[in-house]
Amino acid sequence: MDETLNNAPNTSPNLSVGRNLKIGFFHLGSGMADVLMTGVWNRVMIADLGFAATPVSLLASLRYFLAPIGIWAGRISDRRAIGGFRRLFWVWLGRAMMVASVFMLGLETANLARGAEANLVAWGAIAFALLLFSLGNAISGNTFLALIYDRSAKEQRGRAVGIVWTFLLLGFTIGGILFSVLLPSAEAEGAMAEAVSETTQALSFTPDTLQNLFFVSGAVMGALWFFSLLGEEKRTRPGDAALAETASPEAQTSVRQDLALVWQSRAMRFFFWYLALSMAFAFSQDAILEPFAGEVFGMEASITSRFAGYWGSMSILATIAFLFLSRRYKGLTNTVMSRWGVSILVGAFAMFALSSLAEIRWIVTPGLVVLGVGLGIWNVGTLGLMMDMSPFGRAGTFLGFWTLVVTLARGTGVSGGGIVHDAVDLIARNPNLSYGAVFVVGAIGLSAALWALGRVNTREVEAPPAEAEKVFAGAMD
């Protein structure tokens, strides 16, 4: 039953560090889910089962294109409580959908690995599972962040989102390690490998092992999502909680009006292109990095599933280090850090391109380290620039717009990497060239982002108050 919220709450929110850490485990599960979808499932489908990268990457990136649905769920949670909960209803509903989708996806992918026919029914089941995952992610992501906003006082929000952001990065690292343990090679399983069919003997794992990985992962992530938020929102009665500030001028602004404001400023236009290009091309490797190592160098899934652990851990270290350094050194501005981060990413893509085109295996691991460092520095600088490029008095509107750009660009990048791979593969029929082309295009696109960044002057935009939590919130999950 829906309950309209009318009055302001009487108590001030307070989020202790202990509670903050408990809530952070939610995004530990989110990071693991991201690795499972774009680090394990895509690699199995492309490198091990031999499916085209285009449909796989499009399905894997579906959650980015459906992200605007989260705005709808967030607006409802601002206005109404369902079953006495404003945020938790949407969070737990969305995450339950994601757990169900992980079980379905694991079952169907394992059936394909057993030699089942890849017909319309099989692809329909996979598409439905990933649609369910994407919808669940969309309606729970924004409402989770709104819950953090509700639970913390204004002066606590920067720390609150910073801790949760760190847990997200930890999820990438821990997920990579956990999945490599849960997906040992078929040879390591001894007698089990001898019992599999002729079709599955070519795989680096057994279908049962793959299925168990999805089932165990879904259960672990579901437990993290449920228990991390258990007791974190008080059940409301009619009239206990407040409507969000939906009557403010920012809330009434249309997307068309926001876009018109962005395009009126030269600095805004170039920042738009920098944000879109850097986000799209930085993540163009997301769906093909593990398949690249599997097809070009024959690395097993148990090895490539650790990739997220390598770059994720380096991203955490770089993020923490540059957050600290930026507070100590005034010259280390958001623009400078963004330039450094993207330049390092160009270097990482160049290393992967060289590794693929010249078939040099030892470059892969250093490339992962460089990729992680670049992503960490780029995250800090670009999130800060999003805040700098949001004028005072309209910060909420502009941060929402930049977040939408980030989400759609990332989805375009993830799917675009698979499309470029397949397009080149149709012509060359050479995995070294098809994967190398993705990395070359990524390096060129990131260089174009650097060019756009060089034409951004943050002084043209009136700086908003330092509300870093809004920026971090928009970029998570």
Side-chain angles (χ1 to χ4, degrees):
M1 179 179 179
D2 290 358
E3 302 150 359
T4 302
L5 308 172
N6 298 309
N7 303 317
N10 297 320
T11 57
S12 299
N14 180 48
L15 183 63
S16 67
V17 174
R19 284 282 188 175
N20 201 164
L21 291 171
K22 173 177 174 287
I23 292 173
F25 278 93
F26 181 90
H27 262 339
L28 184 66
S30 298
M32 292 169 61
D34 193 69
V35 174
L36 184 65
M37 292 300 172
T38 59
V40 176
W41 179 76
N42 64 299
R43 179 248 143 85
V44 168
M45 291 292 288
I46 298 171
D48 292 289
L49 300 183
F51 293 108
T54 296
V56 172
S57 59
L58 282 172
L59 287 171
S61 61
L62 187 60
R63 66 187 185 277
Y64 303 120
F65 298 118
L66 294 182
I69 294 175
I71 299 174
W72 167 78
R75 287 175 69 86
I76 294 178
S77 74
D78 283 340
R79 291 167 169 79
R80 297 183 179 277
I82 300 178
F85 296 105
R86 298 173 64 198
R87 315 297 189 187
L88 278 185
F89 169 81
W90 295 99
V91 176
W92 279 341
L93 173 63
R95 297 295 150 150
M97 292 167 65
M98 292 171 68
V99 171
S101 73
V102 169
F103 290 156
M104 292 171 58
L105 191 64
L107 185 62
E108 194 58 45
T109 307
N111 284 338
L112 292 176
R114 293 186 180 98
E117 183 182 355
N119 52 27
L120 286 177
V121 175
W123 276 105
I126 288 174
F128 178 75
L130 286 166
L131 177 63
L132 196 65
F133 183 93
S134 303
L135 287 172
N137 186 75
I139 67 174
S140 59
N142 281 4
T143 46
F144 167 69
L145 297 170
L147 177 61
I148 294 179
Y149 186 95
D150 295 342
R151 286 284 286 110
S152 55
K154 182 177 181 180
E155 64 275 8
Q156 296 174 332
R157 288 171 188 153
R159 178 256 289 168
V161 179
I163 289 177
V164 173
W165 172 260
T166 302
F167 269 90
L168 182 67
L169 295 175
L170 281 173
F172 297 148
T173 304
I174 293 175
I177 296 171
L178 175 63
F179 299 147
S180 69
V181 172
L182 292 176
L183 196 64
S185 65
E187 291 179 3
E189 296 184 7
M192 281 185 70
E194 298 177 4
V196 298
S197 67
E198 183 178 342
T199 301
T200 61
Q201 283 180 4
L203 302 176
S204 60
F205 52 84
T206 65
D208 287 343
T209 299
L210 179 66
Q211 181 174 298
N212 290 339
L213 179 145
F214 276 83
F215 285 3
V216 172
S217 300
V220 170
M221 292 185 296
L224 286 172
W225 289 329
F226 180 75
F227 290 110
S228 64
L229 298 185
L230 187 63
E232 296 303 329
E233 183 182 25
K234 293 183 179 179
R235 190 183 184 92
T236 62
R237 295 168 298 178
D240 280 350
L243 279 168
E245 297 176 359
T246 54
S248 67
E250 290 187 17
Q252 302 302 320
T253 305
S254 69
V255 175
R256 179 177 296 182
Q257 289 171 310
D258 294 342
L259 187 58
L261 286 171
V262 169
W263 232 247
Q264 287 173 6
S265 166
R266 180 178 183 273
M268 290 281 194
R269 291 197 299 271
F270 278 109
F271 180 67
F272 168 85
W273 286 116
Y274 160 72
L275 196 60
L277 289 169
S278 64
M279 185 63 61
F281 287 103
F283 286 96
S284 63
Q285 50 74 33
D286 209 28
I288 59 96
L289 188 59
E290 288 81 4
F292 147 69
E295 285 199 66
V296 175
F297 298 112
M299 295 186 192
E300 296 180 346
S302 59
I303 296 175
T304 60
S305 60
R306 300 173 195 164
F307 281 9
Y310 293 139
W311 66 257
S313 59
M314 296 310 301
S315 183
I316 293 171
L317 293 175
T319 298
I320 295 173
F322 275 80
L323 280 173
F324 172 77
L325 291 172
S326 63
R327 291 178 178 270
R328 291 180 61 89
Y329 300 102
K330 299 293 184 183
L332 201 58
T333 64
N334 293 320
T335 301
V336 170
M337 288 188 288
S338 297
R339 187 178 298 117
W340 287 9
V342 176
S343 298
I344 293 172
L345 286 175
V346 171
F349 274 72
M351 292 174 71
F352 289 133
L354 177 62
S355 176
S356 182
L357 296 174
E359 205 165 330
I360 306 175
R361 176 169 175 161
W362 68 264
I363 297 180
V364 175
T365 301
L368 293 170
V369 172
V370 175
L371 177 68
V373 172
L375 286 173
I377 302 173
W378 169 65
N379 271 330
V380 175
T382 300
L383 292 171
L385 274 179
M386 286 169 63
M387 182 166 52
D388 292 342
M389 299 302 291
S390 301
F392 179 72
R394 301 190 63 83
T397 298
F398 273 75
L399 287 171
F401 177 71
W402 298 136
T403 299
L404 188 60
V405 173
V406 163
T407 304
L408 295 179
R410 183 172 178 178
T412 301
V414 173
S415 57
I419 293 171
V420 170
H421 168 274
D422 284 357
V424 175
D425 194 54
L426 279 174
I427 301 171
R429 296 295 180 183
N430 185 318
N432 297 69
L433 290 176
S434 55
Y435 285 109
V438 177
F439 299 127
V440 169
V441 170
I444 294 172
L446 288 168
S447 299
L450 277 176
W451 173 83
L453 178 62
R455 281 146 184 80
V456 175
N457 183 3
T458 58
R459 295 177 182 177
E460 294 181 23
V461 182
E462 185 179 1
E467 297 184 54
E469 70 277 358
K470 289 185 179 179
V471 184
F472 279 111
M476 289 193 300
D477 203 22

